[in-house]
Amino acid sequence: MFKELIYTGKQVFSAEFLLSDPIEPVLNKIKQHEDVGTGVLLLEGRESLLSLFILENHFYTPYRLTEGGFVPLHFTDYLKETDQLEGRLGLYRVSPVLFKALLMLAQHPPSVVGTNEVIDVE
């Protein structure tokens, strides 16, 4: 579901990512472009999916998507995991509303059990 939501955004670029490719040049290239705004960088490996949320051209938070949901990562862990992955790299520009919805999904997985917890989107 998560990937399908991101795929609705405008794809800025997509490329094959190999084990020999460092991610730092890609991240530097993203920082140089002022037109990204809000977006999500996806690294889709065979067994793993890493995402990096970008808010107003600043790297906001990385996550690993697993069967059980989202696992937040430190940036150092994110960089280490990208060094061990091979797959498809894609940057998707998403609207601010979809960006907030994706962050809510990452931070509070959907549940069929109702709660009275109030979620502050801001």
Side-chain angles (χ1 to χ4, degrees):
M1 177 181 92
F2 179 73
K3 289 193 302 187
E4 288 76 17
L5 287 172
I6 291 176
Y7 290 157
T8 61
K10 180 182 177 191
Q11 187 173 26
V12 178
F13 76 84
S14 178
E16 291 295 321
F17 188 76
L18 305 174
L19 284 172
S20 59
D21 296 337
I23 194 135
E24 286 86 358
V26 174
L27 297 178
N28 289 333
K29 184 177 178 182
I30 292 170
K31 283 191 106 168
Q32 292 173 358
H33 289 287
E34 295 181 4
D35 61 342
V36 174
T38 56
V40 179
L41 180 68
L42 286 182
L43 178 53
E44 300 177 65
R46 286 185 215 123
E47 300 148 6
S48 164
L49 174 66
L50 297 178
S51 63
L52 176 63
F53 287 85
I54 301 167
L55 178 62
E56 296 178 2
N57 288 16
H58 296 289
F59 304 130
Y60 188 66
T61 183
Y63 283 95
R64 181 185 330 108
L65 183 63
T66 64
E67 295 280 329
F70 294 89
V71 177
L73 297 171
H74 292 284
F75 279 100
T76 54
D77 295 336
Y78 176 79
L79 294 175
K80 286 178 188 174
E81 288 200 30
T82 59
D83 288 343
Q84 302 168 2
L85 277 183
E86 183 174 324
R88 189 138 205 65
L89 185 69
L91 176 63
Y92 298 87
R93 186 180 306 139
V94 296
S95 72
V97 173
L98 180 56
F99 184 84
K100 286 182 179 181
L102 291 170
L103 275 178
M104 282 181 50
L105 281 174
Q107 295 170 358
H108 299 282
S111 173
V112 293
V113 178
T115 66
N116 57 0
E117 179 182 349
V118 177
I119 299 173
D120 184 11
V121 181
E122 298 295 322

